[in-house]
Amino acid sequence: MRFFRSAAAAYGSRVIGVVLSGLLNDGAAGLEAVARCGGLALVQDPADAIADEMPRSALAAVAAGLPVPSARLGDVLSELVREPAGPRIPVPPDIRLEVDIAAGERVDSSILSRIADPAAITCPNCHGVLSTVRGSRPLRFRCQVGHALTADVVAKEQENAVDEALRVALRVVEERAELVSRMAADGRNSGRRAVAEMYEERATEYRNYAETIRRAVLLSMAPPAPQEDEGGQDGPG
């Protein structure tokens, strides 16, 4: 994404951006910057991509994106580089600012507010506050440290964090159930019936909590249900 954006700012209409098979949609955000700076946007046809998520996102983000079968990409690029570049257009201020941020320029809330609005979401990399980049396609965020992420990337990172938190919680609750069960047994063996009953009740509660968390973990691991095709995508129409 940063490479596309910096190339677009530096070379404008002389840039040809190409998005190939891949997951998530960070490449789509970079390709959108190429198109806004006057460059050309090529996208591997999702129909012959091993992973079609990235090319589909790119075509959704860039209305002028040209889907090309992978077998034809080399020929198309060879033809395009022989054509004269289009007229140079001014680099949009938001793209210029993001290039400067990626290059290490100082960024704080006042600078970031020129292009983004604070969101109640934390950066998965530094845990700082994210801001929503205004008008971005696809939906995208930046933090004050300089990290830039699409919503899909943030969602994937959050999914991983939730899975890890659930597994930690399951382990802790199961250990707690085991501990109070042993304390209940110790109470019975020492003749402290009331104490034993109290710990047995707690052990039952913790086992119920653990079972609820275990179901949540299993649900998070289950593959998504297949969705009906809503018409397919053979290219922009």
Side-chain angles (χ1 to χ4, degrees):
M1 181 164 56
R2 286 183 294 178
F3 172 75
F4 272 173
R5 192 174 292 112
S6 59
Y11 299 105
S13 59
R14 296 170 60 192
V15 175
I16 302 174
V18 182
V19 167
L20 303 175
S21 171
L23 301 175
L24 301 179
N25 62 355
D26 45 343
L31 197 65
E32 192 247 358
V34 169
R36 289 179 60 201
C37 290
L40 297 176
L42 300 185
V43 181
Q44 179 180 356
D45 191 334
D48 70 5
I50 294 175
D52 66 357
E53 187 175 358
M54 184 83 74
R56 287 185 184 277
S57 297
L59 290 173
V62 184
L66 177 64
V68 182
S70 57
R72 285 275 300 146
L73 274 171
D75 293 337
V76 172
L77 283 171
S78 179
E79 294 170 5
L80 289 175
V81 296
R82 292 185 174 89
E83 297 291 330
R88 184 161 185 109
I89 62 176
V91 179
D94 60 306
I95 291 180
R96 175 64 67 188
L97 177 57
E98 290 202 72
V99 170
D100 291 342
I101 292 172
E105 293 294 325
R106 184 182 69 88
V107 58
D108 56 25
S109 57
S110 62
I111 294 175
L112 198 56
S113 66
R114 299 177 195 170
I115 61 170
D117 301 307
I121 305 170
T122 55
C123 175
N125 295 324
C126 67
H127 306 294
V129 176
L130 286 175
S131 293
T132 308
V133 179
R134 288 190 288 271
S136 177
R137 296 178 59 190
L139 179 62
R140 194 160 53 85
F141 301 93
R142 267 198 176 276
C143 72
Q144 289 187 203
V145 172
H147 298 123
L149 310 102
T150 64
D152 280 7
V153 173
V154 175
K156 185 63 177 178
E157 292 292 337
Q158 286 184 344
E159 180 181 344
N160 293 337
V162 169
D163 288 346
E164 178 63 21
L166 285 172
R167 287 174 172 80
V168 170
L170 180 58
R171 174 181 58 79
V172 171
V173 173
E174 285 184 330
E175 287 183 1
R176 182 67 174 170
E178 176 64 20
L179 175 62
V180 295
S181 292
R182 290 174 180 268
M183 294 171 74
D186 181 68
R188 285 193 303 271
N189 293 335
S190 60
R192 296 176 296 165
R193 181 176 176 181
V195 171
E197 290 177 352
M198 178 187 69
Y199 283 132
E200 285 170 351
E201 289 178 2
R202 290 186 180 179
T204 300
E205 289 179 5
Y206 285 126
R207 289 194 179 96
N208 289 336
Y209 296 155
E211 183 57 31
T212 298
I213 298 172
R214 185 177 291 104
R215 287 198 297 268
V217 170
L218 292 174
L219 284 173
S220 72
M221 295 171 61
Q227 297 180 352
E228 293 293 329
D229 186 358
E230 297 181 354
Q233 181 177 347
D234 297 322

